[in-house]
Amino acid sequence: MPKQPGLRRPLARWIDLATLLTAGAALLLAGTLLTVYQVVSLRSALVDDARVQARIIGENSTAALSFKDPAAAHDTLSALEFSPSVLAAAILNEHYEALAHYQAAGDDGPPPRADGTLMRDGYRFSAGEVLVAQPIIRMDGRNLGTVVLRVSLEQLWRRVLGYIGLTLAVAAGSLAIAFLLVARMRRVVRHTEAHLDYLAHSDPVTGLPNRHAFNARLAFALSKVDQFGGMVGLLFLDLDDFKVVNDTLGHQNGDRMLKQVAQRLTGVLRTTDTICRIGGDEFAVILESATSSRESESVAAKLIAALAAPFPLDKHEMYVSASIGLAIYPLDSADLQALIRNADTAMYHAKSRGKNAFDRFHPDMEQRAQKRVQLENSMRKALERNELRVFFQPQISIATRRIVAVEALLRWEHPELGLIQPLEFIPVAEESGLIVPLGKWVLEAACEQAARWAAEGMRELSIAVNLSVRQMREEGLVDDILAILNRTGVAPGQLELEITETVLMEDVEENVRLLTRLKAEGICISIDDFGTGYSSMAYLKRFPIDQIKIDRTFITDLPADAEDRAITTAIIAMAHSLGVEVVAEGVETAAQLAFLDEHGCDRVQGYFLGAPLPGPHVTVLLNAQQEELQASLPRA
Ligand code: C2E
Ligand code: MG
Ligand code: MG
């Protein structure tokens, strides 16, 4: 659920205030204790001072007391004029009768006497006064008298007040500074928190919300539908073959392209829709404003159209398409997890239909997706369990009408599902990477069969093996192939590697390097499914190829379809001009064969000439052909 910052702020303020009040109270308590301590210590210092004064007066009054001389005693007391805190003083004889007393100017209190209670007669001591009696002035062991001082505490209170004022000012100042520091620290923390929050919830490359934020927003959108009704459309968008961009132009350009993709996609959405980047080349769009499933579908179509124009990158212009899956809450899915799963399933469905497309989720897809997972799991075991077979389909030379090559085609004899065709499992194997061990196995099986045929005298027969894109990106491919040829004794010139035109054009530089290496070893290269990709003459000239196989979609409607006629004849002419042999795939009728023959096609392959068959069946055909050849030779 998204956070509610509105609630957090007043709470934080209350916490601030409470902290401040507590700190203030603590300071006040400390100040009070210090003040009390100050009062006590100042008072005792004052009393000590007064005692010293009284003692000095007493020492100086010994003579006056001995001779009972009030004038001399009075003189001694008059020195107190300069003492700011003494209000009144008296020198008393041994009977506690005043010999002399002193009264500070302006003081109207009673003269001090030795006995505190007596001193209080008719006079209330104020909090501002203290009585100090200096007991007993002695001489030769005889009590002469005593000195009594009444001292003002006014100065003490003034100092204490000053101290309290200073303490309060220091406390208030400290609190103010602390408050400012705390406020500043809070601001820094809030700013850092906001930045961390941004980093945790957004994708640094595109600036879009990331997967984390996506989950929260989707949950929030669904909760709104639960409360108020309506629907939420979820689109999962996966860029097709984006890896190629990264591999060929580098990750930096890949990131730049992702940024442009994000901008274009955002451009076609409404402000109420949310787009997030949830993976490397995956985006998710939450459509909250969609009022019908058709509206969501039209957004998906718009997103696909938005990517149609090329993306400028450095000196290149790159194209990228996307496959999109759509699932609608609550129509297609009852909860968040199901919605995500279904949008994903629909996206995979769109991809498997040939990419650059979108599909709305349908329950059937789930079954298909499950089947796909099962397929992948059982495919992993197929090799060990020896369930794979290689079939061979003949290729006939039009000139000699003889089998000059066979194409190795993989078959899977599943113990429960029966014979599975490669179009069903090869894409799954490609995606999971299983195609690498599978492809190697086919190569070995095909070469072993070729070796058996060679042993029977058919050394001229070429063997064509399909190579997948994943195999081509394998480091040790060339070494693996050479090792297999070496082990089986098949001549490199007998092996034809078929690479589809689309794969060939995906990474021209890399493929030119690979094919040149293979060619240098004497292996033949054939371009499969020719006409379905986007190769140009300029590019074709760069590849060291021996053969082009015209895709069967151009053969099917021959010779009736004018366009196919034109394409086929053009491909044959172009290939021959490059010195490349032409094979026509999917020849099913005599009319197709006749047309291809007439226009100079070199080889044909198709059900009309022979379906893919297990090795021993092809051996029978080859033997028959061999016998026919023997029979046609003039006898000696
Ligand atoms: P491909 O290489 O273009 O193989 C030709 C496909 O056309 C084969 O389908 C073959 O059975 C089929 N075919 C042959 N003659 C005719 C015809 O007259 N009419 C029609 N309609 N079809 C015909 P298959 O065996 O199902 O293979 C399909 C694709 O699977 C192959 O297309 C190839 O791309 C891939 N594949 C098959 N085996 C392997 C393999 O061992 N490795 C790799 N990487 N791919 C393979
Ligand atoms: Mg092929
Ligand atoms: Mg083909």
mmCIF file with all atom_site columns, all heavy atoms in Angstrom, residues 528-529 551 585, ligand 3:
data_model
loop_
_atom_site.group_PDB
_atom_site.id
_atom_site.type_symbol
_atom_site.label_atom_id
_atom_site.label_alt_id
_atom_site.label_comp_id
_atom_site.label_asym_id
_atom_site.label_entity_id
_atom_site.label_seq_id
_atom_site.pdbx_PDB_ins_code
_atom_site.Cartn_x
_atom_site.Cartn_y
_atom_site.Cartn_z
_atom_site.occupancy
_atom_site.B_iso_or_equiv
_atom_site.pdbx_formal_charge
_atom_site.auth_seq_id
_atom_site.auth_comp_id
_atom_site.auth_asym_id
_atom_site.auth_atom_id
_atom_site.pdbx_PDB_model_num
ATOM   1  N  N   . ASP A 1 528 ? 19.191 -20.983 -44.861 1.00 0.00 ? 528 ASP A N   1
ATOM   2  C  CA  . ASP A 1 528 ? 17.876 -21.630 -44.771 1.00 0.00 ? 528 ASP A CA  1
ATOM   3  C  C   . ASP A 1 528 ? 16.761 -20.582 -44.794 1.00 0.00 ? 528 ASP A C   1
ATOM   4  O  O   . ASP A 1 528 ? 16.995 -19.425 -44.444 1.00 0.00 ? 528 ASP A O   1
ATOM   5  C  CB  . ASP A 1 528 ? 17.831 -22.407 -43.446 1.00 0.00 ? 528 ASP A CB  1
ATOM   6  C  CG  . ASP A 1 528 ? 16.860 -23.570 -43.494 1.00 0.00 ? 528 ASP A CG  1
ATOM   7  O  OD1 . ASP A 1 528 ? 16.119 -23.676 -44.486 1.00 0.00 ? 528 ASP A OD1 1
ATOM   8  O  OD2 . ASP A 1 528 ? 16.855 -24.361 -42.527 1.00 0.00 ? 528 ASP A OD2 1
ATOM   9  N  N   . ASP A 1 529 ? 15.571 -21.015 -45.180 1.00 0.00 ? 529 ASP A N   1
ATOM   10 C  CA  . ASP A 1 529 ? 14.364 -20.170 -45.164 1.00 0.00 ? 529 ASP A CA  1
ATOM   11 C  C   . ASP A 1 529 ? 14.621 -18.823 -45.852 1.00 0.00 ? 529 ASP A C   1
ATOM   12 O  O   . ASP A 1 529 ? 14.172 -17.774 -45.368 1.00 0.00 ? 529 ASP A O   1
ATOM   13 C  CB  . ASP A 1 529 ? 13.892 -19.917 -43.717 1.00 0.00 ? 529 ASP A CB  1
ATOM   14 C  CG  . ASP A 1 529 ? 13.603 -21.219 -42.993 1.00 0.00 ? 529 ASP A CG  1
ATOM   15 O  OD1 . ASP A 1 529 ? 13.505 -22.258 -43.667 1.00 0.00 ? 529 ASP A OD1 1
ATOM   16 O  OD2 . ASP A 1 529 ? 13.476 -21.195 -41.758 1.00 0.00 ? 529 ASP A OD2 1
ATOM   17 N  N   . ASP A 1 551 ? 12.663 -20.370 -49.190 1.00 0.00 ? 551 ASP A N   1
ATOM   18 C  CA  . ASP A 1 551 ? 11.668 -20.776 -48.197 1.00 0.00 ? 551 ASP A CA  1
ATOM   19 C  C   . ASP A 1 551 ? 10.430 -21.361 -48.881 1.00 0.00 ? 551 ASP A C   1
ATOM   20 O  O   . ASP A 1 551 ? 10.016 -20.905 -49.943 1.00 0.00 ? 551 ASP A O   1
ATOM   21 C  CB  . ASP A 1 551 ? 11.270 -19.579 -47.343 1.00 0.00 ? 551 ASP A CB  1
ATOM   22 C  CG  . ASP A 1 551 ? 10.473 -20.033 -46.143 1.00 0.00 ? 551 ASP A CG  1
ATOM   23 O  OD1 . ASP A 1 551 ? 11.065 -20.696 -45.277 1.00 0.00 ? 551 ASP A OD1 1
ATOM   24 O  OD2 . ASP A 1 551 ? 9.259  -19.762 -46.103 1.00 0.00 ? 551 ASP A OD2 1
ATOM   25 N  N   . GLU A 1 585 ? 12.785 -25.527 -51.119 1.00 0.00 ? 585 GLU A N   1
ATOM   26 C  CA  . GLU A 1 585 ? 12.226 -26.351 -50.036 1.00 0.00 ? 585 GLU A CA  1
ATOM   27 C  C   . GLU A 1 585 ? 10.726 -26.542 -50.271 1.00 0.00 ? 585 GLU A C   1
ATOM   28 O  O   . GLU A 1 585 ? 10.092 -25.703 -50.903 1.00 0.00 ? 585 GLU A O   1
ATOM   29 C  CB  . GLU A 1 585 ? 12.319 -25.614 -48.694 1.00 0.00 ? 585 GLU A CB  1
ATOM   30 C  CG  . GLU A 1 585 ? 13.678 -25.343 -48.153 1.00 0.00 ? 585 GLU A CG  1
ATOM   31 C  CD  . GLU A 1 585 ? 13.575 -24.704 -46.766 1.00 0.00 ? 585 GLU A CD  1
ATOM   32 O  OE1 . GLU A 1 585 ? 12.881 -23.685 -46.600 1.00 0.00 ? 585 GLU A OE1 1
ATOM   33 O  OE2 . GLU A 1 585 ? 14.187 -25.253 -45.863 1.00 0.00 ? 585 GLU A OE2 1
HETATM 34 MG MG  . MG  B 2 .   ? 13.829 -24.168 -44.236 1.00 0.00 ? 3   MG  B MG  1
#
